Amino acid sequence: MKRLLLVLLTLLLPVSAFGLEKEVAPIDAAGRSDKEASLPEYFVPPPPFSEGIYPCSQCHEGMPVNPKRRVLKDFHTDIELKNHAEDQRWCLDCHNANNRDVLRLVSGKVIRFEESYYLCGQCHGTIFRDWKAGVHGKRTGEWNGKKVYRLCVHCHNPHQPRFKPLEPKPPPVKPSHIK
Amino acid sequence: MSEQSGRAKRARGLSRRRFLKGAASGVAALAIPVQAADAMTWEAFFQRHFREMNDAEKSDVVARLEKEYAEKYGVSFNISTHEALPGVKFGYGLDLSRCIGCRRCVYACVGENNQSRDPQIHWISVLRFRKGDKWVNDLENSEKYYNPETVPEPGYFYMPVQCQQCENPPCVKACPTQATWKDEDDGIVVIDYNWCIGCRYCMAACPYGARHFNWTRPGIPKEELNPNTHYLGNRPRYVGVVEKCTFCIQRTRNDPGRYPACVEICPVGARKFGNLLDPNSEIRYCIEKKRVFRLKEDLNTQPKFFYFFAT
């Protein structure tokens, strides 16, 4: 009882006000903290590709790169950039021109689709920080053991990232309807 | 077994028999179901308080209950009696800036925790509020029957409420038989359904409406029963006992232990769970970095359930 009070008190103290705010080093699935591993990997389920689309190289291998902003007519006609600063950006800011099977960071570094959180993290830094701590998005598995993250793109379509509304599950039965 | 005796000491003067004797000496004797007084009922009636039992007694009780449940439900149950893990105090966080009121948590909880489908018992209620309304102190006037095509609805926000796992739980104080108590270590408020006499004082005492009563025998389709249970958690309940959220004790009180079912199902990732004593847990991160509050804080219940705003 006393112990908890103490804990809660310390927790609720505005730590930052004393300049003591400490980065909580997120732990990846292998138990390494952010600071130990150069590019930590977070354990995630496979990326949510549409069936048959990956590897992209099955079509893009040898296909000329067309960096021009345009309405796609021959393929990917369902892809439209929306609510995602589309005026400032086009496909090849995220997708890698010469090897379509990987993504591309602003630095020129390429990353696998399994690590697309680094792509999003370039612009959504605070969200990325929360995500690593398991607070934005979610982790499943063991609260004191192995955890599985979700990629940003499991919840946000990268091309139209606004979270899609869902159908709610049924409301509870009203007391007046209980037999 | 010093741990055991320590626990027993904390459970001061536990005796349902003594209570019954004191409260109504004559009636107590009549309350024994004489007609059905086979060995099993007899043992059940004179079962010791959970916190006074040693390991051998616990395994006897578990064996008896597993047999009883197998006969009653035609399903073979596994009943754990795991104690709190050392160095663990559970805390829960719920991000109100993300929750969309989809109620997936409600039904994941029902399934995981063997809640009665008919009559319906829900341990989680999702309350809807109009943005800008005064609300935290006005839970009773919220809407919980909203049913639009899709959620979230513009202009509203949602607040799921379940047992707040108070450090200072009024329900525990109200219980005349000590059938409900707070574990001094991990802090989960639990109920022993074999000691609950169904007086419902705890329900009246709970400011969060988190406790629910079994007016009839719980109705659950056999194929939907979850056979992985904890004695103090999701094992099947009897008619006339009270039940509530236990932070999924059957999942969480393990090493390694799983996240609660509501945390795992949440499609927006609004639900956070972890060890308050571990500075690297997500719950500590929320408390240290986000705006948090607890429900009806002025009642000094000291919930370990923290609502927060990530944005």
Side-chain angles (χ1 to χ4, degrees):
Chain A
M1 180 65 214
K2 265 191 217 130
R3 190 179 46 172
L4 182 90
L5 268 179
L6 255 173
V7 170
L8 293 180
L9 264 177
T10 10
L11 293 182
L12 297 172
L13 272 179
V15 184
S16 48
F18 297 94
L20 295 171
E21 187 165 24
K22 158 168 139 277
E23 262 295 9
V24 178
I27 306 293
D28 71 14
R32 294 170 305 187
S33 82
D34 211 2
K35 296 196 171 84
E36 287 153 23
S38 53
L39 247 198
E41 248 189 76
Y42 299 91
F43 200 64
V44 291
F49 285 122
S50 329
E51 216 173 299
I53 195 92
Y54 197 85
C56 320
S57 51
Q58 61 188 293
C59 297
H60 283 278
E61 180 92 80
M63 202 172 110
V65 177
N66 183 350
K68 228 184 98 196
R69 179 185 291 270
R70 64 195 191 277
V71 178
L72 299 182
K73 292 218 176 67
D74 298 337
F75 201 63
H76 309 312
T77 48
D78 54 328
I79 294 180
E80 185 200 344
L81 303 185
K82 212 171 122 194
N83 297 322
H84 210 190
E86 54 277 11
D87 293 339
Q88 295 100 288
R89 177 164 337 121
W90 187 239
C91 318
L92 299 180
D93 291 336
C94 299
H95 292 284
N96 186 48
N98 300 318
N99 173 7
R100 221 41 79 86
D101 291 343
V102 289
L103 295 163
R104 184 181 165 280
L105 304 182
V106 178
S107 66
K109 187 178 166 57
V110 295
I111 54 166
R112 297 174 301 127
F113 277 91
E114 287 77 7
E115 308 168 304
S116 56
Y117 40 82
Y118 284 119
L119 179 73
C120 319
Q122 299 177 115
C123 302
H124 301 294
T126 43
I127 295 244
F128 185 42
R129 188 186 69 176
D130 287 356
W131 180 88
K132 287 190 281 186
V135 171
H136 188 90
K138 72 171 167 182
R139 300 194 291 200
T140 54
E142 295 155 2
W143 65 266
N144 52 355
K146 277 205 210 98
K147 297 172 176 60
V148 183
Y149 286 77
R150 296 296 177 280
L151 290 170
C152 318
V153 298
H154 281 121
C155 297
H156 302 288
N157 176 342
H159 310 129
Q160 300 191 11
R162 188 166 295 170
F163 196 85
K164 300 269 172 308
L166 294 175
E167 191 188 329
K169 295 279 179 197
V173 178
K174 290 196 176 166
S176 55
H177 291 115
I178 292 177
K179 298 154 265 173
Chain B
M1 283 270 57
S2 62
E3 177 63 18
Q4 189 65 45
S5 53
R7 277 159 187 279
K9 247 180 257 144
R10 277 184 233 128
R12 277 163 298 126
L14 301 172
S15 166
R16 178 167 56 171
R17 270 149 285 153
R18 205 181 306 153
F19 166 76
L20 287 173
K21 248 196 240 155
S25 35
V27 185
L30 290 177
I32 306 177
V34 184
Q35 253 124 30
D38 54 23
M40 236 154 79
T41 1
W42 196 258
E43 273 170 37
F45 194 80
F46 286 102
Q47 180 180 318
R48 262 144 65 90
H49 191 277
F50 187 76
R51 281 190 291 176
E52 285 180 334
M53 283 186 220
N54 60 31
D55 288 350
E57 286 170 311
K58 278 184 190 168
S59 60
D60 283 352
V61 167
V62 163
R64 191 189 78 230
L65 288 174
E66 285 178 351
K67 185 158 168 275
E68 181 187 311
Y69 287 157
E71 283 167 12
K72 204 155 149 190
Y73 296 100
V75 171
S76 119
F77 278 84
N78 171 37
I79 306 173
S80 145
T81 54
H82 286 173
E83 294 186 6
L85 301 170
V88 173
K89 169 91 63 192
F90 287 126
Y92 201 106
L94 204 151
D95 184 351
L96 292 179
S97 66
R98 301 278 175 243
C99 177
I100 57 171
C102 73
R103 298 199 187 93
R104 287 180 178 45
C105 51
V106 174
Y107 292 92
C109 176
V110 165
E112 169 68 28
N113 289 295
N114 293 319
Q115 274 138 257
S116 177
R117 317 304 203 261
D118 184 18
Q120 186 180 66
I121 293 183
H122 286 175
W123 290 356
I124 304 177
S125 301
V126 187
L127 311 182
R128 186 186 74 176
F129 299 90
R130 204 184 294 278
K131 283 187 180 156
D133 273 8
K134 87 170 166 86
W135 52 286
V136 177
N137 296 314
D138 200 13
L139 303 187
E140 288 69 24
N141 292 320
S142 63
E143 167 67 51
K144 64 173 181 177
Y145 303 106
Y146 63 89
N147 196 20
E149 303 252 296
T150 60
V151 287
E153 301 156 274
Y156 292 98
F157 73 98
Y158 306 86
M159 181 168 72
V161 179
Q162 61 210 68
C163 174
Q164 307 281 303
Q165 307 293 352
C166 306
E167 262 313 277
N168 187 18
C171 53
V172 165
K173 284 182 218 153
C175 180
T177 64
Q178 299 199 35
T180 184
W181 66 92
K182 184 195 72 183
D183 189 285
E184 287 299 335
D185 294 311
D186 65 16
I188 304 180
V189 176
V190 294
I191 303 170
D192 184 341
Y193 312 117
N194 284 61
W195 273 65
C196 175
I197 56 168
C199 69
R200 299 188 283 135
Y201 288 4
C202 58
M203 291 172 67
C206 174
Y208 307 105
R211 288 178 165 257
H212 305 273
F213 187 63
N214 286 279
W215 289 99
T216 69
R217 199 182 130 172
I220 310 173
K222 184 178 157 186
E223 61 288 357
E224 290 179 24
L225 283 165
N226 176 6
N228 298 313
T229 68
H230 192 286
Y231 180 90
L232 301 170
N234 61 339
R235 70 181 166 107
R237 271 75 76 189
Y238 311 101
V239 56
V241 303
V242 170
E243 58 180 74
K244 66 167 194 67
C245 158
T246 63
F247 277 170
C248 276
I249 192 167
Q250 66 282 0
R251 294 163 70 110
T252 54
R253 206 183 255 188
N254 280 311
D255 193 12
R258 296 161 68 201
Y259 281 110
C262 49
V263 170
E264 295 219 321
I265 197 79
C266 180
V268 297
R271 291 171 166 272
K272 305 297 156 197
F273 178 80
N275 181 4
L276 286 168
L277 306 180
D278 171 7
N280 291 319
S281 64
E282 50 252 57
I283 184 66
R284 281 286 290 273
Y285 184 97
C286 295
I287 293 170
E288 283 164 26
K289 297 212 193 294
K290 305 295 177 189
R291 291 177 290 142
V292 294
F293 75 93
R294 292 178 289 172
L295 258 193
K296 305 198 184 189
E297 209 144 23
D298 47 327
L299 299 179
N300 195 31
T301 50
Q302 299 170 28
K304 292 188 290 296
F305 198 102
F306 298 84
Y307 291 93
F308 69 100
F309 298 92
T311 53

